[in-house]
Amino acid sequence: MPAKPQDRADDDLDPAELQSAVIHRDLKPSNVLVSIQNDRAMPKIIDFGVAKATLCLTGQKRYAEAEAALLEAHEILTAALGTDHAQTLKVLPDLVGLYEAWDQPDKAAEWRSRLPAVPTAKGVPS
């Protein structure tokens, strides 16, 4: 019988998760994704304010760390919600900004091309 989300007790948590000291300030059902792996429910907490954290890292010129966090967030959200979901799309401008700050115009352009077109006042995409 498959495990229920509440069956995943603290003994299932990775010690790194327990030591990370990250506090999620907006935990709600829409920020918890659950997948079944090997007949076990595997919750994944999303929306940790990754943009705020990576903005801080970018400001400290810790670009590689910011890139890793944003790419992981994008991968998780894409797998769970799809490429067109609002949560997934929120990561794209952050990746563009990171690569612009990091002076990587080719990567910035690659991620900018994935941004949805923004309609203008006349309804024509810009």
Side-chain angles (χ1 to χ4, degrees):
M1 175 172 186
K4 298 177 188 134
Q6 65 267 25
D7 291 341
R8 185 175 188 257
D10 287 344
D11 60 324
D12 289 336
L13 290 175
D14 182 326
E17 290 179 294
L18 296 172
Q19 295 174 2
S20 67
V22 174
I23 298 172
H24 195 297
R25 299 195 183 276
D26 189 27
L27 195 56
K28 57 190 173 192
S30 62
N31 287 341
V32 180
L33 304 175
V34 180
S35 64
I36 303 297
Q37 297 175 4
N38 299 323
D39 290 329
R40 292 187 61 163
M42 300 300 295
K44 184 70 99 167
I45 307 298
I46 63 169
D47 197 8
F48 275 93
V50 173
K52 292 176 190 172
T54 56
L55 181 61
C56 181
L57 291 171
T58 300
Q60 297 174 6
K61 299 187 188 294
R62 294 167 57 184
Y63 302 120
E65 292 173 73
E67 178 186 43
L70 286 171
L71 291 175
E72 180 180 14
H74 186 264
E75 180 181 325
I76 289 168
L77 292 168
T78 299
L81 304 172
T83 57
D84 295 329
H85 191 277
Q87 289 273 15
T88 306
L89 294 172
K90 284 171 50 174
V91 179
L92 300 180
D94 300 321
L95 281 160
V96 172
L98 165 69
Y99 290 125
E100 287 174 345
W102 200 358
D103 196 28
Q104 295 196 21
D106 292 342
K107 285 188 176 182
E110 173 191 338
W111 287 97
R112 190 178 296 106
S113 72
R114 298 182 189 193
L115 289 168
V118 179
T120 63
K122 295 181 180 179
V124 179
S126 59

